[in-house]
Amino acid sequence: MTAPPAPVVPVEVALDGPLGRQVAVYVEAELGWQVVASGGPPRPAVRLVALDGRVDGAVVVVEGTAGETTTRAAAAAGALDVIEWPSGRARLRALPVGQDRHLPTGPPVVRVAGVGGGVGTSTVTLAVAGLLAWASATVIVVGGDGLCRLCGLAPWVGPGAIEVAALHPADAAAEVEVLACPVRGVAGLRALGGGSIADAAGWAADVVVVDAGRVTPAGNVGAGPLADSADLLVAAPNDRLAAAAGIDAPLLLSGSGPLDDRGAARLLGRAPAGRLSSSARVARAGRQQRIPAGLPGTWLRTLSTALGTLDRSVP
């Protein structure tokens, strides 16, 4: 599987006046982190504070130069570090995010992306998640409102997958436990809406399956943070397959189209990993919001074969 990008870190900026505004702009615009309230959501992984604030477990930011007296006072109060602003601001990048070097590892993440719209990416994502859950794995399936509808859930409101993925890993499991909803008909499968994610550090599951959206012609997953990180592609057997030629991930052909397997292989530069034929059972199950319970055996065999080509850490 591909390595996920650097995480978006939730940061509390407890600094008043112009200094607070400058630090907040730098944190979001330059570091790509997310400024959040002290209580979240999501819960901040890093707190940037003044010396006269609640310093224990936080990083103290001092405008100008921090003398020896200030540094000692911050250390005595339990500060993790002292940053001189603006001269030392680049040191923020080197902070051990979450301040815990013994972080819980996350489950493997399988990102399913579609080559073009309307190819059944959400359906295949949910089918993969259901297949893994049937094999006795505890699975969380992640995506947007289209996936939620297939799971029998209303459009997602409030904190979801993106916010949980930004948490300190030590806090993520508790949030997943509260937010993830059971998927009807499949024991061990839960769904979390709110968008796609790249990392699931600390999540309480054996595997996380993500509806990663649409692959653009440039090879990036559209409108999301998962550029070039698809683990499994879904495409109709037509000329749009050319958009996936440079992406190193197994591709499943979905439905009917003008290309046979040989023609698809010519466009891709490799053989497809399998074909998911059009199925009235799948379409009917989708309308009834119970996709995992309505999969034909041919789909199960094809998906099992495709999953077998992924990282061995996937159950």
Side-chain angles (χ1 to χ4, degrees):
M1 294 188 186
T2 53
V8 176
V9 180
V11 182
E12 175 189 354
V13 180
L15 300 162
D16 294 329
L19 176 61
R21 291 191 290 273
Q22 292 171 25
V23 172
V25 168
Y26 178 80
V27 162
E28 291 201 320
E30 298 296 327
L31 301 184
W33 295 355
Q34 178 186 12
V35 175
V36 299
S38 60
R43 186 180 303 175
V46 176
R47 294 174 49 242
L48 305 179
V49 305
L51 186 56
D52 58 358
R54 183 167 62 88
V55 172
D56 185 41
V59 176
V60 171
V61 179
V62 176
E63 193 165 18
T65 303
E68 184 177 349
T69 301
T70 297
T71 302
R72 286 185 175 182
L80 295 168
D81 203 351
V82 176
I83 301 292
E84 296 179 338
W85 188 269
S87 62
R89 63 186 183 180
R91 291 180 53 218
L92 287 171
R93 293 183 183 276
L95 288 176
V97 174
Q99 316 306 336
D100 184 356
R101 295 185 182 276
H102 302 286
L103 300 179
T105 57
V109 177
V110 178
R111 304 168 191 85
V112 182
V115 182
V119 297
T121 307
S122 297
T123 299
V124 173
T125 301
L126 187 54
V128 168
L131 178 63
L132 293 169
W134 280 336
S136 300
T138 57
V139 183
I140 297 174
V141 63
V142 171
D145 288 344
L147 181 75
C148 287
R149 283 193 296 272
L150 290 175
C151 294
L153 303 176
W156 200 266
V157 177
I162 293 175
E163 288 78 12
V164 174
L167 290 175
H168 185 287
D171 300 319
E175 295 299 324
V176 166
E177 195 64 31
V178 171
L179 294 174
C181 301
V183 176
R184 183 177 57 180
V186 185
L189 177 60
R190 292 176 292 163
L192 189 57
S196 62
I197 53 99
D199 183 57
W203 289 34
D206 293 326
V207 61
V208 173
V209 183
V210 177
D211 181 350
R214 183 192 300 186
V215 174
T216 70
N220 297 323
V221 177
L226 305 178
D228 295 320
S229 63
D231 299 303
L232 187 63
L233 296 172
V234 184
N238 56 38
D239 57 4
R240 290 186 181 180
L241 283 171
I247 302 176
D248 186 19
L251 182 141
L252 294 172
L253 297 174
S254 176
S256 59
L259 296 178
D260 59 13
D261 289 357
R262 183 176 299 178
R266 282 197 299 269
L267 276 182
L268 284 173
R270 64 187 188 279
R275 183 183 287 264
L276 300 170
S277 59
S278 299
S279 169
R281 287 180 60 190
V282 172
R284 184 168 57 251
R287 288 194 297 270
Q288 296 173 352
Q289 300 176 338
R290 56 176 183 82
I291 284 291
L295 293 177
T298 54
W299 274 52
L300 299 181
R301 289 190 291 273
T302 300
L303 293 175
S304 295
T305 300
L307 287 174
T309 67
L310 302 182
D311 190 288
R312 292 182 182 178
S313 60
V314 176

